[in-house]
Amino acid sequence: MATPTLNWPLPRAVAHRCGGALTPENSLAGLRVAAALGFRAVEFDVMLSADGTPWVIHDETLERTTTGSGRVCETSDEVLRRIDIGSRLHKAFAGEPMATFEAMTLRCHELGLQANVEIKPAEGHEVETGDVVARRILSLWEGRPLPLVSSFSFAALQAARKVAPSLPLGFLYSKAPADWLQRFDDLAGYSLHCAKDVDDAVLAQAKARKIPVLCYTVNDPRQAQFLFDRDVTAVFSDRLDVMADYR
Ligand code: G3P
Ligand code: MG
């Protein structure tokens, strides 16, 4: 299988959860601020509702970031549409709506932002989420350079690959396992995404194969520079205000 490539330049800093320190994480407000600060790419998390609609949210449950409660995968679109994801961060963001994947994508297009779409399946929904998100990407990005699509779930990546042979896939780990490269090759991966305490041995494997490495979550420019000096390609950051040199 030929390796699908990314048809847009990967910047050195990607807004993690759209820049979740300054604005509610995974929000349309985050996209606006990321674009205003000159960022060119954002990362956000996508999960299915009880109706099978892809929404942008990190946790499997609603409590931490929203005024709602319960599991996202057991909550209907009608309920999610009424949820406020702004008040938990600050009253200035009260009324910020939870974004559907479609709304988020269209706003990225309007603002000229590239995306790393992280497939974030609720437990037990890995294949369905990978399949649905990949299908939506093919229609929402038609005629545009495809986003980078990543997941901690191999099953979700497998399902996405089945739907979309041309999708650039990011293999996401907190710590890359010994067989990461074999799994990567099995699905013709594009990039490796991992936590910032990445081993030298893993970086050497990636470098030998010219595989881009992206590390999360880096909110200190000195730490970012330390990673770039070790051949890390890009970092995910919540702190867009202090990472401006790496846009
Ligand atoms: O995709 C990089 C990073 O977002 C992975 O961790 O938990 O913030 O989605 P998490
Ligand atoms: Mg994420």
Side-chain angles (χ1 to χ4, degrees), residues 74-101:
E74 293 170 357
T75 306
S76 69
D77 292 344
E78 194 191 339
V79 170
L80 293 180
R81 266 194 287 273
R82 292 197 303 266
I83 273 174
D84 172 347
I85 69 161
S87 302
R88 289 258 181 274
L89 180 67
H90 194 278
K91 63 182 183 210
F93 293 105
E96 177 71 22
M98 188 165 152
T100 60
F101 178 42

Side-chain angles (χ1 to χ4, degrees), residues 6-8 109 114-115 141-148 168:
L6 198 64
N7 290 317
W8 45 273
H109 295 344
Q114 304 294 354
W141 264 271
E142 197 182 352
R144 296 173 184 271
L146 290 169
L148 179 54

Side-chain angles (χ1 to χ4, degrees), residues 2 35-36 58 97 162:
H58 179 275
K162 216 165 147 188

Side-chain angles (χ1 to χ4, degrees), residues 16-17 26 43-45 58 118 120 150 152 172:
H16 180 240
R17 304 185 194 174
N26 285 318
E43 181 264 1
F44 55 83
D45 307 294
H58 179 275
E118 186 190 328
K120 190 72 104 181
S150 59
F152 284 109
L172 177 52

